[in-house]
Amino acid sequence: MSTKNTARMRRWAPGLILLAPSLIVLGVFVYGLIGWTAKLSLTDEHDALGSKGFVGLQNFIDLFTEDINGRFVHSLKNLLVFTAVFMLGALLLGLLWAFLLERGVRGEGFFRAVYLFPMAVSFVASGVVWRWLMNSGTGDQAGGLNRIFHDLHLGFLENPWWTDPDWGMAAMALPAIWQLSGYVMALFLSGFRGIPAELREAAAMDGATGYQLYRHVIFPQLTPTALSALIILGHMSMKMFDLIMSVSGAQWITEVPAVYVWQTLLTSDYAKAAAISMILLLLVAVVIIPYLIYNNRVERRS
Amino acid sequence: MTATIARDQAVTTPARKSGGRINRRSPLARVITYGLLLLFLIIVLMPAYVLVVTSLKSGREIGVNGQWNLPQEWTFASWEKAWTSLRPSFIRTFELAIPVAAISSLLGAANGFVLSRWRFPGADVVFTLILFGMFIPYQAVMIPLRSIVHEIGLPPGIPTLVFVHCVYGIPICTLIFRNYYATTVPVELIEASRVDGAGMLRTFGSVILPLSAPGFVVTVIWQFTSSWNDYLFAIFMSNTRNGPITIALNALAGAQSPDYAASMAGALIASLPTLLVYIVLGRWFIGGLMAGSVKS
């Protein structure tokens, strides 16, 4: 038995050794530090003086019940509005663009490149121009997009953008949609192009109309693509920080959990910041972990 | 997961096989298609227009009237102002993004090779565990991370950020290379090398690495762009004196009543390197984006 095992070990060992540095580093800096943050979130380290002890889930309970003006719940609501608008917008635009380009148009490469270019720009840089575009002034004071609406006599479209207390986060999602729809388009284009031509031809032979072809043959084939697009957009949305910091700065009206962590750390309330971070991680994990497991299974089958 | 890069080739080559289909759309459908494509083109390019036009205006023309017009008087004064304040961080960001791109790519190639072509039992589980690191909100590690990098003696600013981006870039680079090797390097090639008595390192160095250029292009672009554009790690671990361009740009543009012309010139300056990378290597950039999707 031992000779067989040694031979096997000899085969695997070099691979494991090559992988080891990365595994150790990720073990420490991903899993170890998450554990550290989790532990911190269960203590009462609310200032730079350090912790007096373990308080269980008190920090988490406080976030939902004791937070001044319901600040944490407010930040979750903001995140929800942002995520819904951002995901729906980017998904629909990306799908529409892919659909328009899918069967080949003149200048396809050019359109694709232009639709995709915002992806290369940082949120900090695009935040500069979006803050200008989403100027909250109206009427004679209208600037940015409102100015265009004003000059085109479309005054009813003028709005306060992200400074609106109820729907501001929907406006905040516009730059994110601008930036990532091209990415979704690229995903869907590869999905469309991955569908075997025979499938379309078979459907055409059966006399399927254009609508039927898409409804019953093409779109069902795109489900896995749509799923990964949703996952990628969803986890980006939960983590959204740069964009909000550069468009509005850290402000109550547009605060999301990722920004709240930063604000909390500025006051050295480490335990509270850790608790918010853990909730953020949990939100991402409930989506990502099933997806990774599912993905692992699908791959093993193929 | 394995097919993403291979499939990308299908994306980057326009639908040649279905070329005949272009004419199958009715004239009305074609008018609508091109009309919509152009409309979206204008919408997508609008922020770029604003950036360029505003950055070239003089201070007197910045007010709300005629904001959207071309400058009456073209001036590079704001570009000079922005460049003066961004120059040091612009150079520092190269010192960040280049090492990050190189180191992450090498690590990713080694890991991707082992996980696709020199596999051990449980390799899939290990891969999934690695991959999870790509999705975590970095806030969940940020608090202890700040003290740990301080404790292991990394100088603040760029060296710390290089380290951090390399660590958290491992998952995506591993994913890209694993997919690349799994779809382009035949198992028989590895077996042949094994039969010839080559060990793993020899196989990796003399058989695999020479075939890896397309994978490297993807990870280099990906890591260069994401470390160049990063703001989260930068704001937690550096400041305007030792940090990258996003920090400097935010300081330039983030004031209560910002100088819009200079901010916009600054935003353009800060975006030039990644845009250039994108324009020159656009085809592979799309490949990088595709590889970012974890799917089969």
Side-chain angles (χ1 to χ4, degrees):
Chain A
M1 143 197 167
S2 61
T3 45
K4 205 179 156 199
N5 274 358
T6 336
R8 270 201 188 156
M9 274 307 288
R10 221 171 259 161
R11 253 174 101 101
W12 304 331
L16 276 174
I17 292 169
L18 193 59
L19 204 58
S22 298
L23 290 184
I24 292 168
V25 163
L26 289 179
V28 172
F29 285 91
V30 173
Y31 294 95
L33 295 193
I34 287 176
W36 188 330
T37 309
K39 206 179 134 205
L40 186 59
S41 72
L42 303 175
T43 68
D44 61 352
E45 190 169 338
H46 294 303
D47 48 44
L49 298 174
S51 167
K52 285 180 272 315
F54 177 81
V55 295
L57 294 175
Q58 197 55 49
N59 293 320
F60 293 89
I61 297 167
D62 286 352
L63 277 175
F64 286 97
T65 55
E66 300 286 309
D67 220 17
I68 299 162
N69 290 328
R71 185 172 171 189
F72 182 66
V73 176
H74 166 78
S75 76
L76 282 179
K77 274 187 198 148
N78 277 347
L79 184 61
L80 185 72
V81 174
F82 179 88
T83 303
V85 177
F86 165 55
M87 286 177 70
L88 203 69
L91 215 61
L92 287 181
L93 263 190
L95 183 60
L96 176 60
W97 292 350
F99 174 74
L100 291 173
L101 291 173
E102 183 244 334
R103 288 183 298 177
V105 296
R106 257 171 244 285
E108 185 200 317
F110 172 71
F111 284 114
R112 224 176 38 208
V114 172
Y115 291 162
L116 201 60
F117 100 89
M119 182 84 194
V121 179
S122 67
F123 275 124
V124 177
S126 66
V128 172
V129 65
W130 279 98
R131 191 157 42 134
W132 185 94
L133 286 169
M134 298 195 290
N135 188 314
S136 60
T138 52
D140 289 335
Q141 285 307 304
L145 291 171
N146 281 351
R147 186 84 221 167
I148 290 197
F149 297 148
H150 182 78
D151 292 351
L152 293 176
H153 303 288
L154 295 169
F156 64 94
L157 282 174
E158 290 179 45
N159 73 79
W161 304 103
W162 58 266
T163 59
D164 183 280
D166 293 319
W167 296 104
M169 288 312 281
M172 189 60 94
L174 294 179
I177 295 172
W178 174 74
Q179 202 132 351
L180 286 154
S181 296
Y183 174 61
V184 179
M185 169 202 72
L187 286 176
F188 275 119
L189 262 181
S190 82
F192 276 120
R193 300 275 153 84
I195 298 170
E198 300 82 55
L199 218 57
R200 292 171 189 248
E201 278 153 23
M205 293 254 260
D206 291 345
T209 63
Y211 169 77
Q212 286 171 329
L213 175 70
Y214 278 96
R215 170 74 183 73
H216 297 291
V217 180
I218 304 214
F219 285 142
Q221 294 274 324
L222 292 177
T223 315
T225 311
L227 181 65
S228 35
L230 276 174
I231 295 283
I232 291 163
L233 294 177
H235 99 277
M236 291 183 86
S237 180
M238 309 265 186
K239 291 154 66 167
M240 200 53 73
F241 175 82
D242 308 13
L243 171 68
I244 292 163
M245 290 294 281
S246 64
V247 171
S248 70
Q251 286 198 31
W252 160 266
I253 209 162
T254 56
E255 188 166 78
V256 292
V259 175
Y260 194 2
V261 173
W262 168 246
Q263 289 293 95
T264 310
L265 278 178
L266 290 181
T267 64
S268 296
D269 191 342
Y270 297 108
K272 185 177 176 182
I276 304 171
S277 305
M278 290 316 289
I279 294 175
L280 203 54
L281 178 69
L282 204 70
L283 286 177
V284 175
V286 291
V287 179
I288 291 300
I289 292 177
Y291 177 67
L292 287 177
I293 292 171
Y294 157 83
N295 211 66
N296 199 330
R297 287 220 188 109
V298 170
E299 194 174 75
R300 211 170 291 168
R301 248 183 280 141
S302 60
Chain B
M1 212 179 279
T2 42
T4 40
I5 292 192
R7 239 193 232 165
D8 158 58
Q9 279 140 12
V11 192
T12 43
T13 30
R16 216 166 273 136
K17 259 187 279 174
S18 53
R21 285 212 189 96
I22 294 178
N23 302 322
R24 224 190 264 170
R25 291 188 204 202
S26 68
L28 180 67
R30 284 175 60 188
V31 169
I32 294 174
T33 301
Y34 283 102
L36 283 174
L37 284 171
L38 279 174
L39 176 72
F40 286 119
L41 195 77
I42 292 168
I43 294 175
V44 171
L45 286 175
M46 183 184 60
Y49 168 82
V50 169
L51 276 170
V52 174
V53 166
T54 311
S55 75
L56 292 170
K57 283 181 179 172
S58 65
R60 289 182 291 111
E61 286 186 61
I62 298 295
V64 286
N65 284 314
Q67 283 192 317
W68 288 84
N69 300 348
L70 289 170
Q72 285 167 337
E73 181 193 334
W74 301 69
T75 166
F76 277 95
S78 297
W79 280 76
E80 281 173 32
K81 183 180 168 193
W83 177 241
T84 313
S85 80
L86 295 183
R87 204 180 81 97
S89 65
F90 187 79
I91 293 162
R92 278 199 296 271
T93 316
F94 278 106
E95 292 165 9
L96 166 69
I98 291 171
V100 165
I103 299 168
S104 309
S105 300
L106 276 174
L107 284 172
N111 298 343
F113 165 64
V114 172
L115 289 170
S116 62
R117 289 290 175 258
W118 205 276
R119 292 161 60 85
F120 50 89
D124 281 329
V125 177
V126 170
F127 178 58
T128 304
L129 287 173
I130 291 178
L131 223 47
F132 181 66
M134 180 171 132
F135 294 101
I136 60 165
Y138 297 119
Q139 279 86 354
V141 294
M142 201 64 87
I143 304 167
L145 182 62
R146 278 209 296 197
S147 33
I148 230 179
V149 291
H150 182 69
E151 233 153 83
I152 55 180
L154 280 170
I158 298 303
T160 296
L161 287 172
V162 168
F163 176 78
V164 166
H165 280 292
C166 285
V167 169
Y168 295 104
I170 291 175
I172 178 83
C173 293
T174 303
L175 167 70
I176 290 169
F177 272 106
R178 181 179 173 277
N179 289 351
Y180 174 69
Y181 292 139
T183 48
T184 56
V185 176
V187 185
E188 295 76 34
L189 204 64
I190 314 285
E191 290 304 324
S193 167
R194 265 180 174 169
V195 170
D196 289 347
M200 184 200 65
L201 279 180
R202 274 240 349 251
T203 308
F204 180 58
S206 54
V207 179
I208 302 295
L209 275 185
L211 298 172
S212 302
F216 272 100
V217 174
V218 173
T219 53
V220 162
I221 295 169
W222 185 274
Q223 281 299 89
F224 183 89
T225 317
S226 56
S227 57
W228 186 281
N229 287 342
D230 163 70
Y231 182 66
L232 181 63
F233 283 121
I235 196 176
F236 273 93
M237 305 197 168
S238 68
N239 54 46
T240 44
R241 285 182 310 284
N242 62 18
I245 189 123
T246 45
I247 296 287
L249 176 61
N250 203 54
L252 175 72
Q256 272 306 316
S257 51
D259 174 349
Y260 268 119
S263 309
M264 297 215 184
L268 286 169
I269 290 171
S271 308
L272 280 180
T274 48
L275 279 178
L276 205 66
V277 163
Y278 170 75
I279 290 164
V280 175
L281 303 169
R283 285 172 59 100
W284 294 283
F285 191 76
I286 296 179
L289 300 180
M290 305 308 308
S293 80
V294 197
K295 72 182 181 61
S296 35

